[in-house]
Amino acid sequence: MSKRSVPKKLFLLGAIVGCLFSFGAFAFAVDSAPAGGELCKECHAAEVQEFSSNVHSKAGAYGFAGASCESCHGASASHASTGDIAAISNPAKIDVEAASAGCLNCHSKGKGQMFWHGSIHESQKLACVACHKIHGGNDKLLSKKTETELCITCHLDVRADMFKRSKHPMRDASTPSGEGKMTCSSCHNVHGAKGEKLIDAKSFNDKCYECHQEKKAPLLWEHSPVKEDCMTCHTPHGSSNDKMLVTKVPRLCQQCHMQGRHQSGALGMNSTYAINRGCLNCHSQVHGSNNPSGAILQR
Ligand code: HEC
Ligand code: HEC
Ligand code: HEC
Ligand code: HEC
Ligand code: HEC
Ligand code: HEC
Ligand code: HEC
Ligand code: HEC
Ligand code: HEC
Ligand code: HEC
């Protein structure tokens, strides 16, 4: 046996194993194309050109050594030599779970996607690519021009609320009125969250306090439903009542205050107590009062 035959045999063995692997699940490691998509250029010049400005072309710099077209499309060498479409994987066409798993190979550690598993969008069988478009996508690689536009394609009830009289400024950012200052993700993490309804905070109130801090301050005279849940009186997206209220005053108040020293319940609409802005004319501090004599929320 010559000195060189051992490595040769090993090489042969390696080649055979390599071939087997290229038909199996481990193809990734062996059948690899250069990171920049050199192999793909010939037939996909547009994709390769566009990809050079995609954050994914720099995945290596984020610690994903060897990232390439194959990170998402799987082993590609045999497709690249034949152009056979059956030999390549397109995340937009394969099984939803498998497609998302491919993305989560790199995106499960970050805070953003940490709660994806078990989230409502996952359980509704939305893949990452239901909202994201990798090649030629918009900001954040979204498939639509704005986030709001994306969400309201499915959430028509929210779309309707957004156009009501009183609403959070979530409409198209291009409008001059300062609309578009907020997006759905000001409050929701669509990828899953600890809180209910994909709210990206411990509770609904904690989310509201992020921007309406003054409502959080401890008060001498609290109005107990306020600290419990803002949503008792407000809707989050929009309402045809003033100040995004779920119901008009006085009826809003009368839902809880049926009986009072001035018989606040079931007042006729022309009662002194219910007239005009009703209760708020006198009880203006509906979120609570810091005035020593503000016990009835009147100052
Ligand atoms: C010899 C030409 C050729 C080369 C090289 C090539 N492809 Fe393709 N590819 C094709 C053809 C032909 C199609 C099918 C027609 C189309 O969609 O443009 C295709 C389609 C695809 C698709 C879509 C598959 C689908 O089911 O929708 C992907 C993804 C793809 N190629 C990735 C790659 C990657 C990654 C490389 C480099 C590793 C590569 N291709 C190299 C010819 C090639
Ligand atoms: C981060 C994941 C990812 C990487 C990396 C990636 N692709 Fe894609 N590719 C996709 C997804 C997802 C689609 C489905 C359509 C979309 O989202 O743009 C796709 C679709 C395609 C298509 C089908 C044409 C189309 O627009 O539907 C081709 C061809 C393609 N990719 C080539 C490449 C080439 C070449 C590279 C490397 C230069 C590459 N891709 C790198 C995720 C990726
Ligand atoms: C090889 C690892 C890898 C894979 C696979 C991968 N990504 Fe990424 N992705 C990255 C890195 C690295 C970044 C840049 C750092 C960051 O934003 O986390 C990134 C950024 C992003 C961004 C943010 C873009 C921006 O402009 O801020 C989105 C959205 C995204 N990826 C979606 C996807 C989707 C969808 C898939 C599956 C089709 C996918 N990624 C697959 C590594 C990967
Ligand atoms: C229902 C639509 C939707 C789905 C499904 C979705 N995303 Fe997103 N994604 C968004 C929106 C909107 C943003 C921008 C808002 C933000 O930054 O949270 C975003 C931002 C991102 C970002 C950049 C910001 C960050 O959190 O790091 C990454 C990375 C990302 N998505 C990856 C994924 C991956 C991976 C999946 C699948 C497991 C996925 N997305 C599924 C809508 C979606
Ligand atoms: C492709 C369709 C689709 C898109 C796009 C989409 N969603 Fe959803 N979403 C659903 C479905 C289906 C459900 C579950 C049924 C329902 O509550 O309407 C859901 C549920 C939700 C819920 C309710 C959570 C719960 O626990 O009840 C929230 C909040 C939500 N989506 C926010 C968003 C936001 C924000 C966006 C945009 C970034 C978005 N969705 C984009 C389909 C979509
Ligand atoms: C100001 C914070 C905030 C913003 C901004 C916001 N939401 Fe919500 N959203 C909430 C809260 C709080 C709830 C829970 C309401 C409840 O259960 O009483 C909710 C509930 C939902 C639900 C489930 C209940 C329903 O109404 O169908 C969906 C879907 C939803 N939001 C989608 C969206 C979309 C789409 C956008 C962007 C257009 C958006 N949200 C913007 C706070 C917000
Ligand atoms: C990301 C910041 C942000 C968050 C979070 C937020 N808001 Fe707002 N809110 C705003 C802005 C901005 C306005 C509009 C102020 C303006 O136009 O003068 C507003 C206005 C309002 C208004 C008055 C609407 C009107 O017609 O005058 C109410 C009521 C309100 N928010 C309630 C809530 C509730 C309840 C929550 C929690 C579910 C919440 N907000 C979460 C930023 C936020
Ligand atoms: C008991 C019902 C009720 C609850 C609970 C409630 N609000 Fe209000 N809120 C109102 C009423 C009524 C108005 C209108 C006041 C007016 O027009 O003078 C209002 C107005 C507002 C406004 C616009 C005017 C202003 O005061 O800045 C904001 C913002 C607001 N509420 C935020 C919140 C937040 C945040 C919470 C939870 C911490 C909350 N509200 C809980 C009844 C309520
Ligand atoms: C979800 C039920 C609920 C709603 C809606 C509600 N309140 Fe209250 N309110 C309470 C509770 C509970 C207290 C505390 C009562 C107590 O401690 O005896 C309270 C206390 C008060 C007090 C102080 C009186 C006292 O005895 O401490 C006033 C004034 C008041 N509310 C006015 C209003 C007005 C005005 C509205 C409408 C804008 C309203 N409330 C809506 C539940 C509600
Ligand atoms: C004209 C001014 C005025 C209007 C309008 C008014 N209140 Fe009052 N309210 C008062 C005064 C003053 C007190 C204290 C009465 C007392 O101590 O005898 C009070 C007391 C209360 C109390 C706590 C005392 C109790 O046991 O009843 C509640 C709750 C209340 N009002 C709710 C309402 C509601 C709900 C409305 C609207 C339907 C309303 N008020 C309209 C002046 C007003």
Side-chain angles (χ1 to χ4, degrees):
M1 198 182 266
S2 79
K3 279 177 187 164
R4 296 178 58 220
S5 61
V6 173
K8 215 175 195 171
K9 273 185 187 159
L10 272 181
F11 175 76
L12 262 175
L13 187 69
I16 292 166
V17 170
C19 282
L20 287 175
F21 270 11
S22 71
F23 291 106
F26 299 101
F28 187 70
V30 182
D31 175 16
S32 84
E38 284 306 317
L39 261 184
C40 323
K41 236 184 199 159
E42 184 191 335
C43 307
H44 299 295
E47 280 86 357
V48 173
Q49 163 65 25
E50 179 274 334
F51 193 70
S52 62
S53 61
N54 191 302
V55 64
H56 287 102
S57 70
K58 293 158 200 97
Y62 290 88
F64 298 100
S68 72
C69 311
E70 301 200 319
S71 308
C72 297
H73 291 297
S76 308
S78 78
H79 164 76
S81 61
T82 58
D84 181 5
I85 199 167
I88 190 83
S89 165
N90 180 346
K93 294 185 182 169
I94 60 176
D95 168 69
V96 164
E97 258 172 68
S100 296
C103 310
L104 290 167
N105 276 335
C106 301
H107 286 293
S108 57
K109 299 227 164 57
K111 202 169 132 267
Q113 289 73 44
M114 206 157 69
F115 297 108
W116 173 255
H117 286 301
S119 73
I120 182 108
H121 284 134
E122 188 207 25
S123 65
Q124 293 289 325
K125 302 259 176 277
L126 263 64
C128 312
V129 292
C131 297
H132 292 288
K133 188 173 186 326
I134 298 296
H135 301 282
N138 298 286
D139 187 32
K140 302 278 179 200
L141 302 178
L142 295 182
S143 60
K144 289 275 181 350
K145 222 168 82 208
T146 65
E147 182 189 314
T148 301
E149 193 184 337
L150 167 69
C151 307
I152 61 178
T153 51
C154 294
H155 294 293
L156 296 174
D157 54 336
V158 179
R159 180 179 191 284
D161 283 348
M162 271 168 52
F163 284 89
K164 287 177 179 163
R165 190 163 66 138
S166 170
K167 73 261 175 300
H168 272 120
M170 296 187 289
R171 280 188 233 156
D172 188 356
S174 63
T175 54
S177 58
E179 280 285 1
K181 267 189 288 199
M182 287 171 74
T183 61
C184 313
S185 58
S186 304
C187 295
H188 296 288
N189 182 344
V190 284
H191 306 108
K194 254 195 228 160
E196 267 181 83
K197 305 283 178 190
L198 301 178
I199 292 292
D200 190 17
K202 264 191 274 161
S203 68
F204 293 166
N205 277 32
D206 280 329
K207 176 48 77 176
C208 311
Y209 296 151
E210 283 176 19
C211 300
H212 301 288
Q213 286 119 334
E214 77 287 354
K215 303 282 187 287
K216 189 186 185 182
L219 295 165
L220 208 48
W221 306 104
E222 288 189 345
H223 191 195
S224 60
V226 175
K227 291 281 145 90
E228 267 161 38
D229 187 0
C230 311
M231 309 325 295
T232 307
C233 299
H234 294 288
T235 64
H237 307 125
S239 161
S240 31
N241 303 315
D242 251 1
K243 309 289 178 199
M244 296 198 284
L245 291 174
V246 290
T247 318
K248 282 194 173 62
V249 180
R251 193 171 307 143
L252 174 69
C253 317
Q254 291 167 336
Q255 284 170 353
C256 298
H257 297 291
M258 288 311 288
Q259 205 74 42
R261 257 168 279 185
H262 53 59
Q263 296 282 322
S264 58
L267 295 173
M269 286 314 264
N270 54 356
S271 148
T272 352
Y273 292 112
I275 215 158
N276 205 6
R277 292 208 323 150
C279 325
L280 299 177
N281 280 336
C282 301
H283 304 290
S284 58
Q285 302 307 110
V286 66
H287 299 107
S289 167
N290 246 342
N291 191 302
S293 50
I296 53 148
L297 313 178
Q298 82 281 29
R299 51 175 71 90

